[in-house]
Amino acid sequence: IHGAHVGEIHLHRDEANTSCFRSRGGALLLPMRRALLLAAAVLVLAGCVCLRHAVEKPERTALDCGRDVTQPGDHLCKVRVGLDDRTFLVHVPSAPPREPRWTLVLAFHGVGSNAKQMAWISNFSELADRERFLVVYPQGLGVVPSWNTAIIGTAKRSTADDVAFVKAMLEKLHGIFAIDASRVYAAGFSNGGLLSHKLACEMSPTIAAIGVVAAINAEFECLPERPVPVIAFHGLGNATVDGPGG
């Protein structure tokens, strides 16, 4: 984004159509999972991709998760944004972070999916356990769960302020966990990847880098305050979201 594109990796045509997934042994799940895992691994393990300025830690505040969210395991949490109670799944590894503070990855699902499915298809929680970082799976809104981004049909598009949701969620998480504010990353599939691009455009002081699968930067106006590194995977045969060049 804004001259800081890390890379685009195009899959072969027999692995290309990653605009949806099959839950029962389908051919699409494996390449998509591989791409998502590679995106997360690059973001987390690269190390050099982080913000180089001091970010104030928000004041500690309560987070509604039903129990102690700092304990290892999965926690379903919610935060009030406007008139909506927004939910997200937090995965905490059993071992402490390798560095003094946690690295955080936000993983956004695609249209019609949900936070739990994103955890399953991405396998990010297993990677987080191994590499000791926090991973959060936010939940979109709507009859067909989605994110309010460009190029999603009006019948499917959520009208929620998802950027405000992410900001509120991060404020709460910073109040509970010792998170390295220079290592907050966004990753997403399809519509979730579109939102990751949107966050890079509108929250560049906060989002260190993004990794997306089957998604492009479709924002009509993208004026980040700083260049945001991107790693993107897009199938050549994806008929749902055209790749670079159409």
Side-chain angles (χ1 to χ4, degrees):
I1 290 178
H2 199 59
H5 210 87
V6 171
E8 291 177 355
I9 299 178
H10 295 270
L11 305 179
H12 296 295
R13 290 189 180 275
D14 60 349
E15 297 180 340
N17 189 2
T18 55
S19 61
C20 60
F21 69 90
R22 296 172 186 155
S23 61
R24 296 186 179 179
L28 301 183
L29 177 58
L30 185 56
M32 183 178 68
R33 176 174 284 177
R34 286 173 176 168
L36 283 168
L37 280 172
L38 182 55
V42 169
L43 292 178
V44 173
L45 303 181
C48 59
V49 182
C50 60
L51 300 182
R52 298 299 184 187
H53 63 275
V55 179
E56 292 185 5
K57 183 179 177 181
E59 182 180 353
R60 185 176 177 85
T61 183
L63 180 62
D64 185 0
C65 298
R67 59 193 179 112
D68 187 357
V69 71
T70 63
Q71 295 302 308
D74 295 329
H75 307 268
L76 183 61
C77 304
K78 67 179 179 180
V79 63
R80 190 75 169 176
V81 182
L83 300 177
D84 297 316
D85 284 328
R86 302 299 302 267
T87 61
F88 52 99
L89 188 65
V90 179
H91 179 78
V92 182
S94 57
R98 299 183 189 279
E99 302 294 333
R101 291 180 174 271
W102 289 103
T103 292
L104 173 63
V105 173
L106 307 175
F108 298 96
H109 64 76
V111 168
S113 187
N114 56 56
K116 288 185 178 180
Q117 284 183 343
M118 185 62 179
W120 179 68
I121 65 173
S122 68
N123 234 21
F124 279 0
S125 295
E126 182 177 324
L127 181 63
D129 287 340
R130 186 166 69 247
E131 301 300 334
R132 303 185 191 178
F133 64 89
L134 292 174
V135 59
V136 171
Y137 306 94
Q139 176 62 49
L141 290 183
V143 176
V144 178
S146 65
W147 306 105
N148 189 357
T149 64
I151 79 170
I152 297 299
T154 55
K156 293 183 178 180
R157 181 191 292 181
S158 165
T159 58
D161 188 342
D162 292 318
V163 174
F165 169 38
V166 172
K167 289 179 178 179
M169 180 175 60
L170 288 176
E171 179 182 357
K172 301 292 186 182
L173 291 170
H174 274 289
I176 298 297
F177 296 96
I179 295 172
D180 185 342
S182 70
R183 297 184 186 277
V184 176
Y185 305 98
F189 169 64
S190 192
N191 184 212
L194 296 177
L195 179 61
S196 297
H197 276 293
K198 184 172 185 175
L199 296 177
C201 293
E202 299 188 22
M203 294 179 59
S204 61
T206 301
I207 303 299
I210 67 171
V212 301
V213 176
I216 60 174
N217 182 10
E219 293 303 304
F220 299 114
E221 185 173 299
C222 183
L223 301 171
E225 297 180 35
R226 52 170 284 275
V228 178
V230 176
I231 182 167
F233 301 81
H234 206 94
L236 298 177
N238 190 324
T240 303
V241 180
D242 285 338

